[in-house]
Amino acid sequence: MNHGLPAVAVEIYTKIMTAETTGTPDFSHGDGLLPAIAQDAASGQVLMLGYMNREAWQQTLATGQAVYFSRSRKKLWHKGEESGNFQVVKAIYVDCDADTILLKVEQIGGAACHEGFPSCFFRKWSGSEFLIEGERVFDPQQVYKNP
Amino acid sequence: MNHGLPAVAVEIYTKIMTAETTGTPDFSHGDGLLPAIAQDAASGQVLMLGYMNREAWQQTLATGQAVYFSRSRKKLWHKGEESGNFQVVKAIYVDCDADTILLKVEQIGGAACHEGFPSCFFRKWSGSEFLIEGERVFDPQQVYKNP
C-alpha cells in the first residue's frame, strides 16, 4: 500500500500495524506492566483499571477471566479470587500503541470495586472536590474477611 | 460513622475518603504521572488512555478540555492542538485509590485516535491475533501535516 510516504515511514507503519502488534500487547513498554481497563460489556460503564504483565495476559486468555498483576502485592491477582466477583472476559481490545488493554467484561456480583461500588470510579469532580456518586452494592466487611 | 471497625481503621478510612483524596488525584503515585481514561460521554465508548501529571490536571480544569502529559515528547499535550480534535470535558471521576482518572468527554471531530479511528481501541482480539474493527473517520495524512 503506497501512502505517498517515504519508504522508511511505510516500513515503520507496516511493522507497527502487523508483526509487532497483532500477536500480543507490547510488553516492551511500561517496564512490562501495561494498564488494562475493564469496561462492563453490557452497560459500557468503566469499572476499574488494573495492570497486566505478560503472565497476567496469558492467564487472562487461558482462564477467560481477568487476571491482573497487583503492583502493591507484586503478584498475579485473579480478580474475584477473594470476593467471588470474577470478571468474565467478553472481548479484548488493544490501543494504537499496543500498550493499553481494554477488556469488555461481565462483572460477576455486580461490583468491581473492593469498596462495594459497581465501579471503582464512584467519585465525581464537583468543581472543587470529588464527591461520592452512586450506591454500594455490597458491604466490604461482609465480603473481605481479612482486610 | 461507626462501622464496628477499630478506631485506627476508621481513622485511616476517613483520611483516605476525605482529606487526602477528595481535593485532587493522588499524584504521589506513579511517579506523579497517572493514567487518564477518556470515554465518550454520549456513547460510552472508551476512546483512549493518556497520562496526566499535576500540571496537566490543572490545565484540564482550567481549559475544560483534556490536557495530557506526553510520555514520548515529555511535555504537556493539549489533545487536539494539531488535529483540531479537542476533547471537551463533561465529567471527571477518580478511582478508589485516586490514582486513575476517568474523563467523560465530547470528542470534537468524532475521532480520538491519530490513526483516524473514533477510538484508539480499534483492534480486537480474535483468539490468536488482533484484527482491525471499525472504520477510519479521517485520513491521518490529511490531518497531520508533519508526521
Side-chain angles (χ1 to χ4, degrees), chain B residues 118-142:
Chain B
S119 164
C120 290
F121 298 94
F122 60 83
R123 282 174 297 168
K124 185 178 180 179
W125 183 249
S126 71
S128 59
E129 60 182 338
F130 286 103
L131 299 175
I132 291 179
E133 184 182 74
E135 298 285 333
R136 278 194 166 83
V137 172
F138 67 75
D139 176 355
Q141 286 185 77
Q142 297 302 315

PDB file of all heavy atoms in Angstrom, chain B residues 118-142:
ATOM      1  N   PRO B 118     -12.325   6.364  15.444  1.00  0.00           N
ATOM      2  CA  PRO B 118     -13.016   7.027  16.555  1.00  0.00           C
ATOM      3  C   PRO B 118     -12.353   6.753  17.904  1.00  0.00           C
ATOM      4  O   PRO B 118     -12.212   7.647  18.720  1.00  0.00           O
ATOM      5  CB  PRO B 118     -14.427   6.424  16.506  1.00  0.00           C
ATOM      6  CG  PRO B 118     -14.614   6.015  15.087  1.00  0.00           C
ATOM      7  CD  PRO B 118     -13.249   5.576  14.601  1.00  0.00           C
ATOM      8  N   SER B 119     -11.956   5.500  18.115  1.00  0.00           N
ATOM      9  CA  SER B 119     -11.296   5.099  19.363  1.00  0.00           C
ATOM     10  C   SER B 119      -9.915   4.540  19.046  1.00  0.00           C
ATOM     11  O   SER B 119      -9.706   3.919  18.003  1.00  0.00           O
ATOM     12  CB  SER B 119     -12.126   4.009  20.053  1.00  0.00           C
ATOM     13  OG  SER B 119     -11.353   3.345  21.045  1.00  0.00           O
ATOM     14  N   CYS B 120      -8.978   4.754  19.967  1.00  0.00           N
ATOM     15  CA  CYS B 120      -7.657   4.126  19.813  1.00  0.00           C
ATOM     16  C   CYS B 120      -7.748   2.608  19.934  1.00  0.00           C
ATOM     17  O   CYS B 120      -6.857   1.891  19.489  1.00  0.00           O
ATOM     18  CB  CYS B 120      -6.696   4.671  20.867  1.00  0.00           C
ATOM     19  SG  CYS B 120      -6.219   6.386  20.596  1.00  0.00           S
ATOM     20  N   PHE B 121      -8.833   2.125  20.535  1.00  0.00           N
ATOM     21  CA  PHE B 121      -9.005   0.673  20.713  1.00  0.00           C
ATOM     22  C   PHE B 121      -9.753   0.102  19.508  1.00  0.00           C
ATOM     23  O   PHE B 121     -10.895  -0.343  19.632  1.00  0.00           O
ATOM     24  CB  PHE B 121      -9.733   0.392  22.025  1.00  0.00           C
ATOM     25  CG  PHE B 121      -8.974   0.863  23.226  1.00  0.00           C
ATOM     26  CD1 PHE B 121      -9.212   2.122  23.762  1.00  0.00           C
ATOM     27  CD2 PHE B 121      -7.982   0.073  23.800  1.00  0.00           C
ATOM     28  CE1 PHE B 121      -8.493   2.583  24.860  1.00  0.00           C
ATOM     29  CE2 PHE B 121      -7.257   0.527  24.899  1.00  0.00           C
ATOM     30  CZ  PHE B 121      -7.516   1.786  25.430  1.00  0.00           C
ATOM     31  N   PHE B 122      -9.104   0.147  18.356  1.00  0.00           N
ATOM     32  CA  PHE B 122      -9.759  -0.288  17.118  1.00  0.00           C
ATOM     33  C   PHE B 122      -9.320  -1.683  16.700  1.00  0.00           C
ATOM     34  O   PHE B 122      -9.710  -2.158  15.635  1.00  0.00           O
ATOM     35  CB  PHE B 122      -9.526   0.727  15.985  1.00  0.00           C
ATOM     36  CG  PHE B 122      -8.079   0.964  15.633  1.00  0.00           C
ATOM     37  CD1 PHE B 122      -7.404   0.104  14.780  1.00  0.00           C
ATOM     38  CD2 PHE B 122      -7.396   2.053  16.147  1.00  0.00           C
ATOM     39  CE1 PHE B 122      -6.073   0.323  14.443  1.00  0.00           C
ATOM     40  CE2 PHE B 122      -6.065   2.283  15.826  1.00  0.00           C
ATOM     41  CZ  PHE B 122      -5.410   1.412  14.968  1.00  0.00           C
ATOM     42  N   ARG B 123      -8.535  -2.337  17.530  1.00  0.00           N
ATOM     43  CA  ARG B 123      -8.123  -3.706  17.217  1.00  0.00           C
ATOM     44  C   ARG B 123      -8.617  -4.669  18.286  1.00  0.00           C
ATOM     45  O   ARG B 123      -8.366  -4.479  19.467  1.00  0.00           O
ATOM     46  CB  ARG B 123      -6.596  -3.786  17.076  1.00  0.00           C
ATOM     47  CG  ARG B 123      -6.123  -3.241  15.731  1.00  0.00           C
ATOM     48  CD  ARG B 123      -4.640  -3.195  15.657  1.00  0.00           C
ATOM     49  NE  ARG B 123      -4.105  -2.284  16.653  1.00  0.00           N
ATOM     50  CZ  ARG B 123      -2.838  -2.206  16.988  1.00  0.00           C
ATOM     51  NH1 ARG B 123      -1.967  -3.015  16.429  1.00  0.00           N
ATOM     52  NH2 ARG B 123      -2.431  -1.334  17.882  1.00  0.00           N
ATOM     53  N   LYS B 124      -9.308  -5.695  17.833  1.00  0.00           N
ATOM     54  CA  LYS B 124      -9.959  -6.660  18.721  1.00  0.00           C
ATOM     55  C   LYS B 124      -9.267  -8.012  18.642  1.00  0.00           C
ATOM     56  O   LYS B 124      -8.878  -8.452  17.552  1.00  0.00           O
ATOM     57  CB  LYS B 124     -11.436  -6.793  18.298  1.00  0.00           C
ATOM     58  CG  LYS B 124     -12.273  -7.681  19.196  1.00  0.00           C
ATOM     59  CD  LYS B 124     -13.727  -7.712  18.726  1.00  0.00           C
ATOM     60  CE  LYS B 124     -14.577  -8.589  19.617  1.00  0.00           C
ATOM     61  NZ  LYS B 124     -15.984  -8.613  19.179  1.00  0.00           N
ATOM     62  N   TRP B 125      -9.124  -8.634  19.788  1.00  0.00           N
ATOM     63  CA  TRP B 125      -8.503  -9.966  19.872  1.00  0.00           C
ATOM     64  C   TRP B 125      -9.419 -10.999  19.235  1.00  0.00           C
ATOM     65  O   TRP B 125     -10.603 -11.096  19.583  1.00  0.00           O
ATOM     66  CB  TRP B 125      -8.246 -10.304  21.337  1.00  0.00           C
ATOM     67  CG  TRP B 125      -7.538 -11.610  21.572  1.00  0.00           C
ATOM     68  CD1 TRP B 125      -8.065 -12.737  22.131  1.00  0.00           C
ATOM     69  CD2 TRP B 125      -6.176 -11.906  21.278  1.00  0.00           C
ATOM     70  NE1 TRP B 125      -7.113 -13.710  22.203  1.00  0.00           N
ATOM     71  CE2 TRP B 125      -5.946 -13.244  21.679  1.00  0.00           C
ATOM     72  CE3 TRP B 125      -5.125 -11.190  20.706  1.00  0.00           C
ATOM     73  CZ2 TRP B 125      -4.703 -13.864  21.533  1.00  0.00           C
ATOM     74  CZ3 TRP B 125      -3.892 -11.806  20.565  1.00  0.00           C
ATOM     75  CH2 TRP B 125      -3.690 -13.130  20.973  1.00  0.00           C
ATOM     76  N   SER B 126      -8.856 -11.771  18.293  1.00  0.00           N
ATOM     77  CA  SER B 126      -9.659 -12.752  17.556  1.00  0.00           C
ATOM     78  C   SER B 126      -9.559 -14.137  18.166  1.00  0.00           C
ATOM     79  O   SER B 126     -10.277 -15.058  17.751  1.00  0.00           O
ATOM     80  CB  SER B 126      -9.163 -12.822  16.112  1.00  0.00           C
ATOM     81  OG  SER B 126      -7.884 -13.455  16.074  1.00  0.00           O
ATOM     82  N   GLY B 127      -8.639 -14.283  19.120  1.00  0.00           N
ATOM     83  CA  GLY B 127      -8.362 -15.609  19.676  1.00  0.00           C
ATOM     84  C   GLY B 127      -6.924 -15.995  19.402  1.00  0.00           C
ATOM     85  O   GLY B 127      -6.343 -16.812  20.118  1.00  0.00           O
ATOM     86  N   SER B 128      -6.334 -15.360  18.379  1.00  0.00           N
ATOM     87  CA  SER B 128      -4.928 -15.628  18.078  1.00  0.00           C
ATOM     88  C   SER B 128      -4.162 -14.372  17.696  1.00  0.00           C
ATOM     89  O   SER B 128      -2.933 -14.351  17.708  1.00  0.00           O
ATOM     90  CB  SER B 128      -4.827 -16.646  16.944  1.00  0.00           C
ATOM     91  OG  SER B 128      -5.479 -16.144  15.794  1.00  0.00           O
ATOM     92  N   GLU B 129      -4.897 -13.305  17.351  1.00  0.00           N
ATOM     93  CA  GLU B 129      -4.237 -12.053  16.973  1.00  0.00           C
ATOM     94  C   GLU B 129      -5.230 -10.908  17.084  1.00  0.00           C
ATOM     95  O   GLU B 129      -6.430 -11.129  17.257  1.00  0.00           O
ATOM     96  CB  GLU B 129      -3.708 -12.141  15.531  1.00  0.00           C
ATOM     97  CG  GLU B 129      -4.808 -12.406  14.508  1.00  0.00           C
ATOM     98  CD  GLU B 129      -4.284 -12.540  13.090  1.00  0.00           C
ATOM     99  OE1 GLU B 129      -3.182 -12.034  12.808  1.00  0.00           O
ATOM    100  OE2 GLU B 129      -4.996 -13.121  12.259  1.00  0.00           O
ATOM    101  N   PHE B 130      -4.711  -9.677  16.978  1.00  0.00           N
ATOM    102  CA  PHE B 130      -5.584  -8.511  16.991  1.00  0.00           C
ATOM    103  C   PHE B 130      -5.940  -8.127  15.559  1.00  0.00           C
ATOM    104  O   PHE B 130      -5.050  -8.006  14.709  1.00  0.00           O
ATOM    105  CB  PHE B 130      -4.903  -7.331  17.692  1.00  0.00           C
ATOM    106  CG  PHE B 130      -4.852  -7.479  19.185  1.00  0.00           C
ATOM    107  CD1 PHE B 130      -3.675  -7.856  19.815  1.00  0.00           C
ATOM    108  CD2 PHE B 130      -5.972  -7.252  19.959  1.00  0.00           C
ATOM    109  CE1 PHE B 130      -3.623  -8.010  21.196  1.00  0.00           C
ATOM    110  CE2 PHE B 130      -5.931  -7.402  21.337  1.00  0.00           C
ATOM    111  CZ  PHE B 130      -4.755  -7.786  21.955  1.00  0.00           C
ATOM    112  N   LEU B 131      -7.231  -7.942  15.303  1.00  0.00           N
ATOM    113  CA  LEU B 131      -7.697  -7.581  13.967  1.00  0.00           C
ATOM    114  C   LEU B 131      -8.432  -6.245  14.028  1.00  0.00           C
ATOM    115  O   LEU B 131      -9.139  -5.963  15.010  1.00  0.00           O
ATOM    116  CB  LEU B 131      -8.642  -8.663  13.429  1.00  0.00           C
ATOM    117  CG  LEU B 131      -8.035 -10.052  13.280  1.00  0.00           C
ATOM    118  CD1 LEU B 131      -9.105 -11.058  12.843  1.00  0.00           C
ATOM    119  CD2 LEU B 131      -6.865 -10.050  12.286  1.00  0.00           C
ATOM    120  N   ILE B 132      -8.253  -5.445  13.004  1.00  0.00           N
ATOM    121  CA  ILE B 132      -8.890  -4.119  12.971  1.00  0.00           C
ATOM    122  C   ILE B 132     -10.407  -4.262  12.901  1.00  0.00           C
ATOM    123  O   ILE B 132     -10.940  -5.056  12.132  1.00  0.00           O
ATOM    124  CB  ILE B 132      -8.357  -3.287  11.786  1.00  0.00           C
ATOM    125  CG1 ILE B 132      -6.894  -2.910  12.043  1.00  0.00           C
ATOM    126  CG2 ILE B 132      -9.204  -2.027  11.565  1.00  0.00           C
ATOM    127  CD1 ILE B 132      -6.244  -2.111  10.944  1.00  0.00           C
ATOM    128  N   GLU B 133     -11.081  -3.474  13.751  1.00  0.00           N
ATOM    129  CA  GLU B 133     -12.543  -3.441  13.787  1.00  0.00           C
ATOM    130  C   GLU B 133     -12.941  -1.986  13.590  1.00  0.00           C
ATOM    131  O   GLU B 133     -12.373  -1.101  14.207  1.00  0.00           O
ATOM    132  CB  GLU B 133     -13.024  -3.938  15.163  1.00  0.00           C
ATOM    133  CG  GLU B 133     -14.521  -4.049  15.298  1.00  0.00           C
ATOM    134  CD  GLU B 133     -14.947  -4.492  16.709  1.00  0.00           C
ATOM    135  OE1 GLU B 133     -14.869  -3.651  17.627  1.00  0.00           O
ATOM    136  OE2 GLU B 133     -15.339  -5.640  16.883  1.00  0.00           O
ATOM    137  N   GLY B 134     -13.910  -1.729  12.765  1.00  0.00           N
ATOM    138  CA  GLY B 134     -14.373  -0.346  12.584  1.00  0.00           C
ATOM    139  C   GLY B 134     -13.705   0.357  11.424  1.00  0.00           C
ATOM    140  O   GLY B 134     -12.818  -0.189  10.759  1.00  0.00           O
ATOM    141  N   GLU B 135     -14.153   1.559  11.183  1.00  0.00           N
ATOM    142  CA  GLU B 135     -13.731   2.322  10.012  1.00  0.00           C
ATOM    143  C   GLU B 135     -13.048   3.614  10.434  1.00  0.00           C
ATOM    144  O   GLU B 135     -13.396   4.205  11.458  1.00  0.00           O
ATOM    145  CB  GLU B 135     -14.973   2.695   9.168  1.00  0.00           C
ATOM    146  CG  GLU B 135     -15.748   1.509   8.625  1.00  0.00           C
ATOM    147  CD  GLU B 135     -15.062   0.823   7.456  1.00  0.00           C
ATOM    148  OE1 GLU B 135     -14.290   1.502   6.745  1.00  0.00           O
ATOM    149  OE2 GLU B 135     -15.281  -0.385   7.272  1.00  0.00           O
ATOM    150  N   ARG B 136     -12.114   4.062   9.601  1.00  0.00           N
ATOM    151  CA  ARG B 136     -11.487   5.354   9.832  1.00  0.00           C
ATOM    152  C   ARG B 136     -12.490   6.488   9.607  1.00  0.00           C
ATOM    153  O   ARG B 136     -13.307   6.431   8.693  1.00  0.00           O
ATOM    154  CB  ARG B 136     -10.307   5.550   8.891  1.00  0.00           C
ATOM    155  CG  ARG B 136      -9.030   4.901   9.354  1.00  0.00           C
ATOM    156  CD  ARG B 136      -7.842   5.421   8.553  1.00  0.00           C
ATOM    157  NE  ARG B 136      -6.579   5.068   9.169  1.00  0.00           N
ATOM    158  CZ  ARG B 136      -5.977   3.893   8.998  1.00  0.00           C
ATOM    159  NH1 ARG B 136      -6.509   2.981   8.235  1.00  0.00           N
ATOM    160  NH2 ARG B 136      -4.835   3.635   9.613  1.00  0.00           N
ATOM    161  N   VAL B 137     -12.398   7.530  10.442  1.00  0.00           N
ATOM    162  CA  VAL B 137     -13.222   8.725  10.288  1.00  0.00           C
ATOM    163  C   VAL B 137     -12.470   9.757   9.445  1.00  0.00           C
ATOM    164  O   VAL B 137     -13.067  10.530   8.716  1.00  0.00           O
ATOM    165  CB  VAL B 137     -13.579   9.316  11.670  1.00  0.00           C
ATOM    166  CG1 VAL B 137     -14.266  10.664  11.538  1.00  0.00           C
ATOM    167  CG2 VAL B 137     -14.461   8.341  12.441  1.00  0.00           C
ATOM    168  N   PHE B 138     -11.128   9.762   9.595  1.00  0.00           N
ATOM    169  CA  PHE B 138     -10.322  10.687   8.777  1.00  0.00           C
ATOM    170  C   PHE B 138      -9.050   9.993   8.322  1.00  0.00           C
ATOM    171  O   PHE B 138      -8.663   8.947   8.845  1.00  0.00           O
ATOM    172  CB  PHE B 138     -10.032  11.998   9.524  1.00  0.00           C
ATOM    173  CG  PHE B 138      -9.118  11.862  10.732  1.00  0.00           C
ATOM    174  CD1 PHE B 138      -7.746  11.682  10.591  1.00  0.00           C
ATOM    175  CD2 PHE B 138      -9.634  11.961  12.019  1.00  0.00           C
ATOM    176  CE1 PHE B 138      -6.910  11.583  11.699  1.00  0.00           C
ATOM    177  CE2 PHE B 138      -8.806  11.852  13.141  1.00  0.00           C
ATOM    178  CZ  PHE B 138      -7.440  11.661  12.969  1.00  0.00           C
ATOM    179  N   ASP B 139      -8.423  10.614   7.323  1.00  0.00           N
ATOM    180  CA  ASP B 139      -7.155  10.136   6.801  1.00  0.00           C
ATOM    181  C   ASP B 139      -6.036  10.865   7.552  1.00  0.00           C
ATOM    182  O   ASP B 139      -5.919  12.086   7.454  1.00  0.00           O
ATOM    183  CB  ASP B 139      -7.079  10.447   5.304  1.00  0.00           C
ATOM    184  CG  ASP B 139      -5.740  10.072   4.696  1.00  0.00           C
ATOM    185  OD1 ASP B 139      -4.837   9.650   5.442  1.00  0.00           O
ATOM    186  OD2 ASP B 139      -5.605  10.207   3.468  1.00  0.00           O
ATOM    187  N   PRO B 140      -5.221  10.134   8.308  1.00  0.00           N
ATOM    188  CA  PRO B 140      -4.179  10.792   9.111  1.00  0.00           C
ATOM    189  C   PRO B 140      -3.302  11.744   8.305  1.00  0.00           C
ATOM    190  O   PRO B 140      -2.880  12.776   8.806  1.00  0.00           O
ATOM    191  CB  PRO B 140      -3.352   9.618   9.641  1.00  0.00           C
ATOM    192  CG  PRO B 140      -4.287   8.462   9.650  1.00  0.00           C
ATOM    193  CD  PRO B 140      -5.206   8.678   8.482  1.00  0.00           C
ATOM    194  N   GLN B 141      -3.049  11.412   7.048  1.00  0.00           N
ATOM    195  CA  GLN B 141      -2.177  12.262   6.231  1.00  0.00           C
ATOM    196  C   GLN B 141      -2.787  13.627   5.930  1.00  0.00           C
ATOM    197  O   GLN B 141      -2.079  14.591   5.661  1.00  0.00           O
ATOM    198  CB  GLN B 141      -1.876  11.565   4.900  1.00  0.00           C
ATOM    199  CG  GLN B 141      -0.907  10.419   5.051  1.00  0.00           C
ATOM    200  CD  GLN B 141      -0.542   9.850   3.704  1.00  0.00           C
ATOM    201  OE1 GLN B 141       0.242  10.418   2.972  1.00  0.00           O
ATOM    202  NE2 GLN B 141      -1.160   8.731   3.369  1.00  0.00           N
ATOM    203  N   GLN B 142      -4.112  13.688   5.939  1.00  0.00           N
ATOM    204  CA  GLN B 142      -4.765  14.960   5.661  1.00  0.00           C
ATOM    205  C   GLN B 142      -4.841  15.835   6.914  1.00  0.00           C
ATOM    206  O   GLN B 142      -5.036  17.048   6.822  1.00  0.00           O
ATOM    207  CB  GLN B 142      -6.200  14.722   5.128  1.00  0.00           C
ATOM    208  CG  GLN B 142      -6.235  13.980   3.811  1.00  0.00           C
ATOM    209  CD  GLN B 142      -5.463  14.711   2.712  1.00  0.00           C
ATOM    210  OE1 GLN B 142      -5.596  15.907   2.546  1.00  0.00           O
ATOM    211  NE2 GLN B 142      -4.637  13.971   1.988  1.00  0.00           N
TER     212      GLN B 142
END
